[in-house]
Amino acid sequence: MSGGCSIRAIWILNSLDSVVFSRRFPVVEKRWQAACKSENENASEESFSYAVYSLLPADSELASAFVERKQREGSARGFGIRVSQSSKGSDSWVDDPITRHIVGLYINKGEEGENNLLWPLILHIKGNYFVIVLPLVEPRYLKAYTRLCKRSDCGNAIGADDSLSSLLLDLPSITGYEPEVVVSASPSVGGLLDSLTGSIGISGISSRAKPVAAPVASSVPSNTAVAGAVAADAPKIGSRPLDKDALRTFISSSMPFGTPLDLSYSNIFTIKVNGFSSSDLPPPDLKQPAWKPYLYKGKQRMLFTVHETIHAAMYDRDEIPDNISVSGQINCRAELEGLPDVSFPLTGLNTAHVEGLSFHPCAQVPEHHADKQAVMFSPPLGNFVLMRYQATCSLGPPIKGFYQLSMVSEDKGAFLFKLHLMEGYKAPLTMEFCTVSMPFPRRRVVSFDGTPSIGTVSTTEHSVEWKIVTSGRGLSGRSIEATFPGTVTFAPWQTQRLSSSRSGFGIIADEDSDVETQNSNNVVNIEDFLMDKMSNDLPPADLEEPFCWQAYEYAKVSFKIVGASLSGMSIDPKAVSIYPAVKAPVDFSTQVTSGDYILWNTLGKCPSAAAEKA
Amino acid sequence: MADMLPPALKPVSPQDWETLIDDFQYGGLRRHKWTSLSPVLLDLALSTILKRDFPLKLHLLLFLEEFSDSFFLEPIFLDRLLDSLRLVIQSPADGFHITLPLKDQFLVSTTSIFISLDIFNKFHIRYAESLVELLLIIVNRPNHGPDRQTRAVACECLRELERFYPCLLSDIAGHLWSLCQNERTHASQSYILLFTLVIHNIVALKSNVSVLNTSVPLVPFNVPQSLLAGGSSNSTNMGLNYKELRRAMAFLLESPQVLTPCGMVEFMAMITPVAISLELQPSMLKVQFFGMVSSYNPILCHVVLMLYLRFVDAFDGQESEIAHRLILMSREAQHYLVFRLLALHWLMGFNELISSGEVKKKKAMAVEMRLSFYPRVFDPLALKALKLDLLAFCSICIESLKSESALDAGKSVDKLFGDGLVSVSAFKWLPPGSTETAVAFRAFREFLIGGSSHSATDPSTIRTLLESTIFNTLQRMLVDMMLEYQRLVPVIVAFIDRLLGCQKHHWLGERLLQTFDENLIPKVKMDYKLVSCFPIFDRIAENNTIPPSRLLELLTKFMVFLVKKHGPDTGLKSWSQGSKVLGVCRTMLMHHHSSRLFCRLSRLLAFSCLYFPDLEVRDNARIYLRMLICIPGKKLRDMLNLGEQFLGISPSPHSSSFFNIQSPLTSHDLKKLRNVSSYVHLERVIPLLVRQSWSLSLSTFGVGNNKPDYLQGITDSESPGEEKDIDGSTDIQILETERIGQPQEPLRVMDSKISEILGTLRRHFSCIPDYRHMPGLKVKIFCTLRFESEPFNRVWGGVNSPASGVDGLDTLPAMYATVLNFSSSAPYGSIASYHIPFLLGEPPRNGYVSGESMPLDIVPVNSGPGEQKSFRAPVTIELEPREPTPGLLDVSIQTNSENGQIIRAQLHGISVGIEDMFLRAIAPPDTPVEAMPGYYSDLFTALWEACGTSSNTGRETFPLKGGKGIAAISGTRSVKLLEVTATSLIRATERYLAPFVVSVIGEPLVNIVKNSGIIRDVSWKDVASDSSPDASTSVSGFDGGPLHLTYFAGEDESESLVSTSKKTMGCFHILIFLPPRFHLLFQLEVCDISTLVQIRTDHWPCLAYIDDYLEALYLA
């Protein structure tokens, strides 16, 4: 049994913490009970204290356990790290951030008056819904985890036995039930479909690949728009009604006995709707893969799209080097009849800038030196991500320059932008649009003054937006320099007591009035004073965020560049070969968008990290 | 719905079914209410599913599946279920009423129900057989077009059955293999997985069946005999058919390309154990599957990792490739965060695994990779936290490699630590509750404890940790941090607390606190911000491995600072900060031995209670000071305990706090109070010579006058005048001074001798305070209070926790705030009560019984009373006698036991003897020291004279001190012969009466007394020097002294004395002052074998006791 992936149950809770959907797998449960029985028989002498609870909770029990955990751990996800409020036996006691995703619940069976740990539960939050999946693990792992979260010492030591790490390494079933299932099973099935079909712009049967934009979007500062709102577990996507029938069908087809067979929603959906007819003949000599239940028929062609996202932290400081990274992927759509193999050489790539490649399961990667050889793959239907890579920028940064903001008084700041766009970039590289926004999530913009050398400016309540290049007037084949001096006035600062009361990590500072007044006397500089004052009630960042965005002043650049990739990743359509040979046109396009492209205020604080290169 | 169900099986609407299903899933009462109806419900459900136009068929099937155990209790329903299944399967799919998904789900649900019910073991075998047969019929149509999905599902059903009943299908493995080879649609995955499982089970159960043999027909299906026999003990377990199985494996290993990632996981889970059992070359698997590590699908990577774990040796040399893949996965921003976290966890688990193998090489690998563990700026904090863990792991590797290579380890560990921390360096200025702070401090701990795990067998020593670079760096860092960013102090305290709370790393926390004591305290700035460091000071104060001197000195300085800075607008601040200082002091009192703190802390507290501007602080400081001085350690700690529990102290009712004001529990239990005096003892330090059993009461003498006339010796010189004086007019005052200067005495003729005597007496009496107008003379009686622990505990419930009895003192009970009140019927004036703040009970006395057996007792067996001091409280009773008379003092005690009970009781009385009244006469303050003996000698003579019967002073009055009262002398004489040798008489005199001897006369006596050196500073007169004129007056009974005969009337007595004077050695003059104003004079004429005592007094009632006293003194 070890090594397989099965789930005992799945629950979906809504924002009111009541179960709106649940599904139990009696067959898996039967295996669990058998395992418990033998575990309790085999190891009776040492493990009496961690008797394994062998029953699945009813929906109401699960819901109340979830509420209880939420209260104990501060939020649905929990603290993740052991903090002063963490209690023994709870997830954060284990002191590992992954306990925000792999959680334990104490099911309280009223009559027995005993709490029974249910672990591991994979918690996925999507929109307004909490999806909880309980994979089957051997009971000894549950015992091991119980020991971990009830340990009385100061916590895990690196490299010690029985750590959470070795536990997770042993448990593919946890990996198996991470978002792959969850995304497909989650209520926004329609949303997923929409984005899937939309990713290359061709509708029809789509691949199981997730579009690159979706996960990256979650790392964008989510609270730039809403001042002070802490979007801890708050919905990021609008709620959709839960289509229970679709969900039920999907689960029944993808994992009839609780053990998944194929999680491709599109395949399952198509099979359900279309079924098979006698005309759907299997290939005469080959086995048709399970991930390709239908074969394509029609005009043959291939599309490749390189999609890159640029993350940059621009400091314009001597002591901190700028940091630019590219994460890219090659999306593919192969409309080819039969079951052909496609290959193209990897040697043609400018591999100097590519850090690492990873591939779709359909790709055959030679064992050694994957970077130097050809990649061969047997494409599935529809869109799929052929490979992903991390890279550095082969050209210079598309936007260079600095942003300076200086508070001249408590409520007024003077700022200056000086930017170079597309310096050294030649045609066909085209910048379709470029916008710089200065978010002030904790201050309300009252007025603003200043004129940029190029482009237009608008303000919202909590930001100033500067459109340098607007869509329709792409910037191609030349570079431009843009400056923007100005001042911005804010509404008077109000101490945000509300937000500070939600003290995430619980070490409550001694709010001694003496100390505070002292502070104000000692600070000479108005900026430092303001900084101090504002940082006093900064809400703690989520562990999913890279840092506390609200603590910094920065400008975020959004842009889109087409024409070529910035990493140098490219596919020569002529070098793409198909076996058995068919004549199929190969289309290739690139698209570069900005991820977190941040210009830090040169005059303020900025987050940084030590350089990896020694 | 419940009400409409049972009567007639009316069609039930889909909505009703939904409600019903919801109720079941909700559980609890909502489900319970349906229990009795389950057969009806099942019946209804089965028929509903077969209805043509019911929309929720799938839902209903799932419902039956999930709750099958509460429905299918009767075999008849299994028949119905199978019938329904056959009906559905055989009906052509119309895409509307009978859809393919319905068929599939029905198959799955039925299989699931059968497995849940344990159909093989609990029901007749035919049910299982007919289900398997049905499934096999479906499966047995490879490559058939339209129903390929249904065939795949049927394969899955068979696989589940085979999983639960291993080798169920082993007899038909040959058929399955050929089906597997034939199937070319996407359903082939299910065929492959089914066949793989069959192989797996054959291998696992070592079943000797041929997988090529197709002699057993597929249908009709019969359950193999081996399975029916019920277990593994059957004859077919002869051994595996290796050749065939290897062929099957070769076939299977070629098929993975057709599997979905999910299918691959299942496949790998089954294939790996088979490969091991068949002893296949691991490299075969490696070639086939290692490429999956390059996939971005996490589950496929994990599959490779699992494979690696099984065949570590085969993958030798590829660890770094795997590690790099994992790092890459953690960097892929496209992944969900949880996968990136998982990748790092795998890497960590992987590292743990490999470092248990070839240690050195693998550690070097980790060190080599360290740069790729550096957190990046946009890494989510969770990821940063785990990367810091990895860096900590690297630092351990570097440390351990340090000894073996010339690596500049110190530098790179520090660099690693410093570089890693950059990514969360905002913790220094963000609020202390920020996530960055939490991540940073988590990393501190990981780096600090390094590889020292919590297992008891951990080899890392304290030494290596203490010597590690990181420990030194971190110590410095924390100190600097507290100096620079005071807001981090609470975080650091929490950090230290976490270490302190850990059994294994407790010492680390202590060590850090010691560092703070050494390095932080000298560096802090003396200003109001210091208070932010107090939480850490509190921890330092709590720790008794740290000498408190440094902290106390700092606090003292701070108190001085506060006092100095105090001004009109700092009132509240002074109060708050002063109170916090006292809070730290309190912590110290609770955790240190008082002796360790005493000097500095008492100075600090004394300073505070004297000079601190805030009243409450002063007050508290005073209380602490009193406690520090009076109450010994353990009791003090219990009292100071504010209610929180301390380690090792069991919650006991008496640990109630000093500050929690409890309603006093006055015990009204008479039984409890009755015998208090039997174990609480107030005793005289010096026992009375005469156990006075009686006392002379003279009140009956004065008939009609309640004051005995001898008391009228003192009268106000002019009472009416006194009363007039209250107006306070000036002329009267003049009059008064006049009067004092020249007492209006009748003029009398007296010789110079008498006037000299009178002068001496006047001078003497003017020194005696008049108790009616000023504090009188006091007599002190020294006593001790003690109580026995055992009976006290028995009655009042003491400390009875033997666990805490490490120190013997801890177990003893104590009395708090004891007040002793005294009263007496004797004329002793008002007697002040006596207060004892704290008294410990005496340890049980069993030591006295068997001395040798208790060497451990704290009190040495034969120790004198001085050594038991700690269990005895000195009590001084001060009497202001109106009359020098023995009497009895009644003593009552009021005290508090530890549990807050108030004890009020009467103790045994204290006898006051006549000797308690003995005082030295008061010498005028202006008398020089060297003139004292002369003065006393003169005074004796004068009083002796005045107390004579024929005294000329009889009518004289002498003003007392203050001039308002006057006294007269009316003397009495007595005599007593003591038949006792001179030696013992001298010894007794020296012992008891030495302070009162005013002169010693006669050479032999003088020589003896001078030699012993006890009696000093008296006038010495030998007979030879008896030339001085006044000396002769005081000496009587010496032969050849002509003058004294002139003055002494009792000549016959003198004569009798003279007769014995042959052996007279000399004589003592003893002058005893009896408060309030009386005198007792002895003249001891010492002879060899007897001594004659001449007694004179101006207070005749005392003679009644003197007789007994002298007998007890000299004859006992």
Side-chain angles (χ1 to χ4, degrees), chain B residues 23 487 523 745 971 1064 1090:
Chain B
D23 283 352
R487 63 166 104 201
K523 286 189 199 158
E745 296 291 331
T1064 298
S1090 66

Side-chain angles (χ1 to χ4, degrees), chain A residues 383-397:
Chain A
N383 302 328
F384 66 100
V385 176
L386 176 61
M387 57 189 255
R388 290 176 177 172
Y389 58 91
Q390 309 298 310
T392 54
C393 227
S394 67
L395 299 160

Side-chain angles (χ1 to χ4, degrees), chain B residues 72 87 182 201 316 374 439 452 508 578 598 635 978 1006 1055:
Chain B
F72 293 92
L87 193 70
N182 288 333
N201 286 345
D316 193 34
Y374 276 24
V439 172
S452 120
L508 251 178
F598 196 86
K635 307 283 177 194
L978 300 167
V1006 166
E1055 270 168 11

Side-chain angles (χ1 to χ4, degrees), chain A residues 2-5 22-24 26-27 30-31 58-60 81-82 95-98 101 151 153-160 163 165-166 168-172 175-176 178-179 183 210 212 215 248 252 256-257 259-261 263 271 276 280 283-284 286-291 293 312 315 328 355-361 367 385 388 390 505 507 509-510 512 514 522 531 535-536 538 540-548 551-552 596 605 607-612, chain B residues 25-27 59 62 65-66 105 108 112 115-116 146 148-149 156-157 159-160 163-164 180-181 183-186 188-189 257-260 262 265-266 269 286 294-296 299-300 302 305-306 309 318 321 325 328 331-332 334-339 342 345-346 348-350 352 371 374-382 384 386 389 393 419 422-423 426 429-433 435-436 438-439 442 445-446 449 452-454 487 490 498 502 505 529 573 576-577 580:
Chain A
S2 75
C5 294
S22 69
R23 174 84 160 90
R24 294 162 183 78
V27 176
K30 195 89 181 165
R31 282 159 69 188
D59 289 357
S60 53
I81 290 182
R82 199 196 283 192
D95 199 16
D96 195 293
I98 207 158
H101 305 271
R151 63 195 306 165
D153 51 39
C154 65
N156 186 37
I158 303 286
S163 67
S165 303
S166 39
L168 292 172
L169 183 61
D170 274 352
L171 292 176
T175 314
E178 283 300 347
V183 166
K210 289 183 288 288
V212 69
R248 211 172 278 130
S252 294
F257 290 98
T259 307
L261 302 168
L263 295 174
I271 291 172
F276 294 92
D280 288 324
L286 288 171
K287 279 192 194 302
Q288 191 174 347
W291 37 265
Y315 298 97
E355 271 185 6
L357 298 164
S358 54
F359 297 91
H360 188 271
E367 191 180 330
V385 176
R388 290 176 177 172
Q390 309 298 310
F505 285 90
I507 299 148
D510 193 1
D512 212 318
D514 334 335
N522 289 355
M531 199 67 213
S535 62
N536 258 341
L538 275 172
D542 261 341
L543 273 170
E544 283 69 29
E545 297 291 338
F547 34 74
C548 179
Y552 303 99
D596 288 328
K605 291 196 163 80
S608 65
E612 283 170 47
Chain B
Q25 287 183 329
Y26 187 85
H59 198 176
L62 290 175
E65 182 186 330
E66 282 188 33
Q105 187 57 51
V108 169
S112 181
I115 290 171
S116 301
R148 56 183 81 169
Q149 185 64 20
E156 292 303 327
C157 294
R159 187 151 74 94
E160 285 305 321
R163 195 203 297 268
F164 278 89
C180 206
Q181 283 167 316
E183 180 65 47
R184 276 175 287 121
T185 67
H186 83 282
S188 58
Q189 165 169 297
Q257 287 88 336
V258 304
L259 302 178
T260 61
C262 304
V265 175
E266 285 291 294
K286 191 176 123 185
S294 303
S295 160
Y296 58 70
I299 189 68
L300 292 181
H302 205 156
L305 284 176
M306 297 303 286
L309 296 183
Q318 257 145 341
E321 193 180 340
R325 285 307 313 178
L328 183 70
R331 286 187 186 164
E332 281 187 25
Q334 295 99 327
H335 272 309
Y336 280 92
L337 176 60
V338 64
F339 283 136
L342 269 177
H345 266 296
W346 295 338
M348 220 124 52
F350 185 69
E352 282 158 25
L371 289 179
Y374 276 24
R376 295 180 165 190
V377 93
F378 289 117
D379 280 343
L381 283 163
K384 283 175 178 161
L386 289 187
D389 284 359
F393 176 74
D419 283 356
V422 172
S423 60
W429 56 274
L430 282 174
T435 316
E436 280 88 340
V439 172
R442 181 179 180 275
R445 195 192 65 89
E446 302 279 18
I449 68 168
S452 120
S453 70
H454 295 91
R487 63 166 104 201
R498 184 160 168 191
C502 171
H505 297 113
K529 276 201 238 170
K573 201 186 279 182
S576 114
Q577 306 216 341
K580 281 177 184 164

Side-chain angles (χ1 to χ4, degrees), chain B residues 216-234:
Chain B
V216 179
L218 202 57
V219 279
F221 177 76
N222 290 305
V223 173
Q225 283 308 307
S226 56
L227 206 64
L228 286 179
S232 50
S233 60
N234 53 53

